[in-house]
């Protein structure tokens, strides 16, 4: 089962250009340039997952910049690609945060983010931080796209999402956080990881 509120999956790497090249070779599909995140030092590429969900490939805008890698989604700690996070789109982000906090899980404060598309358009939205400090990206971030057009309204290549599941050494704690957010994810005990299976022209592939 795939969570119906799923907005997107985040596939991160320390070198975005190498990630896109390898992904295209592996899947047979070339993701579309999304743009640059304002003030974040990151750039992304997008592919649809079917329905209203998509896959975001993200990495440093300049992988060889001397100032080092951005901390977004733990990119500064990565040595290779990682399915770093998932993001859900609740109908009321403030109410979801308030309910989660009342039930013992704090998803973090809602903050503004933006991305400049290749044609110069500025997209603005709101997002809670990815809680990688506690659940290694297995508890989802929450997003509110405001008035911005959703990425899936663009002409994205589609790689249907077959399944999504998580592994964590303390499944009970993670599941409690997911219940507080009113979302579902299949979780098994193991080293922290997200695992997505995509249907591609080259056959099913697994991202972790």
């Amino acid at each position: 089962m795939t969570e119906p509120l799923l907005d997107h999956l985040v596939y991160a790497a320390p070198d975005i250009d190498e990630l896109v090249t390898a992904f295209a070779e592996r899947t047979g599909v070339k993701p579309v340039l999304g743009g640059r995140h304002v003030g974040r030092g990151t750039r992304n590429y997008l592919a649809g997952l079917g329905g209203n969900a998509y896959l975001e490939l993200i990495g440093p805008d300049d992988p060889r910049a001397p100032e080092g890698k951005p901390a977004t989604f733990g990119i500064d700690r990565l040595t290779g690609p990682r399915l770093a996070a998932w993001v859900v789109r609740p109908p009321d982000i403030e109410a979801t945060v308030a309910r989660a906090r009342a039930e013992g899980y704090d998803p973090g404060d809602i903050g503004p983010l933006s991305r400049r598309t290749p044609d110069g358009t500025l997209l603005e939205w709101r997002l809670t931080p990815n809680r990688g400090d506690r659940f290694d990206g297995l508890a989802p971030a929450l997003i509110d796209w405001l008035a911005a057009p959703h990425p899936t309204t663009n002409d994205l290549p589609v790689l249907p999402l077959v399944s999504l599941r998580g592994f964590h050494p303390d499944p009970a704690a993670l599941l409690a956080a997911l219940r507080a957010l009113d979302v579902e994810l299949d979780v098994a005990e193991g080293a922290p990881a997200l695992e997505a299976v995509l249907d591609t022209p080259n056959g099913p592939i697994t991202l972790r």
Side-chain angles (χ1 to χ4, degrees):
M1 174 183 174
T2 301
E3 168 55 52
L5 296 180
L6 176 66
D7 187 82
H8 65 280
L9 304 179
V10 179
Y11 194 39
D15 189 314
I16 184 62
D17 300 317
E18 290 181 359
L19 177 65
V20 169
T21 298
F23 184 84
E25 291 176 352
R26 185 180 179 192
T27 65
V29 169
K30 185 176 181 179
V32 174
L33 176 62
R36 292 170 167 83
H37 298 98
V38 178
R40 296 278 172 164
T42 52
R43 171 166 37 109
N44 71 6
Y45 290 76
L46 312 174
L49 294 173
N52 296 319
Y54 68 98
L55 175 68
E56 174 186 24
L57 288 78
I58 188 171
D61 185 26
D62 181 358
R64 291 155 191 83
E67 60 267 25
K69 303 287 193 292
T72 304
F73 296 115
I75 290 170
D76 57 338
R77 302 188 303 273
L78 294 178
T79 57
R82 180 175 186 255
L83 193 59
W86 60 304
V87 182
V88 297
R89 180 170 33 151
D92 187 330
I93 193 170
E94 283 92 354
T96 300
V97 169
R99 182 182 64 247
R101 286 172 172 166
E103 295 185 15
Y105 175 69
D106 184 3
D109 295 331
I110 304 165
L113 283 174
S114 59
R115 170 164 56 86
R116 185 76 65 180
T117 67
D119 67 5
T121 302
L122 182 67
L123 304 180
E124 298 180 283
W125 64 92
R126 299 188 300 161
L127 187 78
T128 61
N130 173 253
R131 307 300 287 179
D133 55 341
R134 183 175 176 189
F135 291 116
D136 294 286
L138 288 158
L142 312 175
I143 196 167
D144 173 11
W145 281 101
L146 301 172
H150 194 263
T152 57
T153 61
N154 298 322
D155 188 19
L156 298 180
V158 176
L159 304 167
L161 178 63
V162 176
S163 65
L164 177 66
R165 62 176 178 164
F167 299 87
H168 195 269
D170 188 354
L174 174 58
L175 288 170
L178 298 177
R179 284 193 297 271
L181 294 169
D182 197 23
V183 296
E184 295 185 1
L185 178 70
D186 291 331
V187 180
E189 186 172 355
L194 277 172
E195 180 181 275
V197 177
L198 310 184
D199 189 10
T200 83
N202 292 342
I205 68 162
T206 299
L207 302 181
R208 284 184 67 112

